[in-house]
């Protein structure tokens, strides 16, 4: 009896990890980065012109502590649209930092050490008073 054709096994990439469905406060900032990103990418998907308040409101609604957040201004001192907006959450002693805008090439994020001041962003930030 003749053997049929042999088929080499097909190698596939493992499925990409998915972001957790909720904030996991017991985990590190790095372990919550995918959730942070998912929240922010949802904001951008809903509004390509999203500003700082949009990100802060979405992050707060997702469970991050608004009192631990910082955001830069959407407008420059001469009232032009900012090239990008930065926003951050102090979380478990580290900073989840996001940036979005045309000058930054879209959305970017990172986990960074907290500053000596206890905050996350260098320079002037706007009050989160809404």
């Amino acid at each position: 009896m003749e053997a049929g054709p042999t088929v080499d096994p097909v190698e596939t990439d493992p499925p990409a990890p998915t972001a957790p469905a909720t904030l996991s406060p017991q985990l590190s900032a790095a372990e919550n980065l995918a959730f942070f990103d998912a929240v922010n990418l949802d904001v951008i998907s809903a509004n390509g012109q999203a500003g700082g308040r949009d990100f802060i409101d979405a992050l707060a609604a997702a469970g991050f502590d608004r009192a631990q957040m910082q955001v830069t201004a959407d407008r420059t001192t001469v009232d032009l649209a900012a090239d990008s907006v930065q926003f951050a959450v102090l979380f478990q002693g580290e900073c989840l930092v996001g940036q979005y805008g045309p000058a930054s090439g879209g959305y970017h994020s990172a986990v960074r050490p907290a500053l000596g001041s206890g905050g996350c962003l260098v320079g002037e930030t706007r009050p989160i008073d809404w």
Side-chain angles (χ1 to χ4, degrees), residues 50-90:
R53 183 173 184 158
D54 300 307
F55 292 104
I56 296 301
D57 288 349
L59 289 165
F64 289 98
D65 183 357
R66 185 183 299 265
Q68 299 299 312
M69 295 183 198
Q70 291 180 288
V71 64
T72 60
D74 294 329
R75 312 277 311 164
T76 68
T77 56
V78 293
D79 201 32
L80 299 173
D83 289 336
S84 66
V85 63
Q86 292 82 41
F87 43 93
V89 180
L90 183 61

Side-chain angles (χ1 to χ4, degrees), residues 21-35:
T22 61
L23 179 65
S24 297
Q26 73 282 7
L27 299 178
S28 69
E31 292 168 307
N32 278 282
L33 181 61
F35 180 66

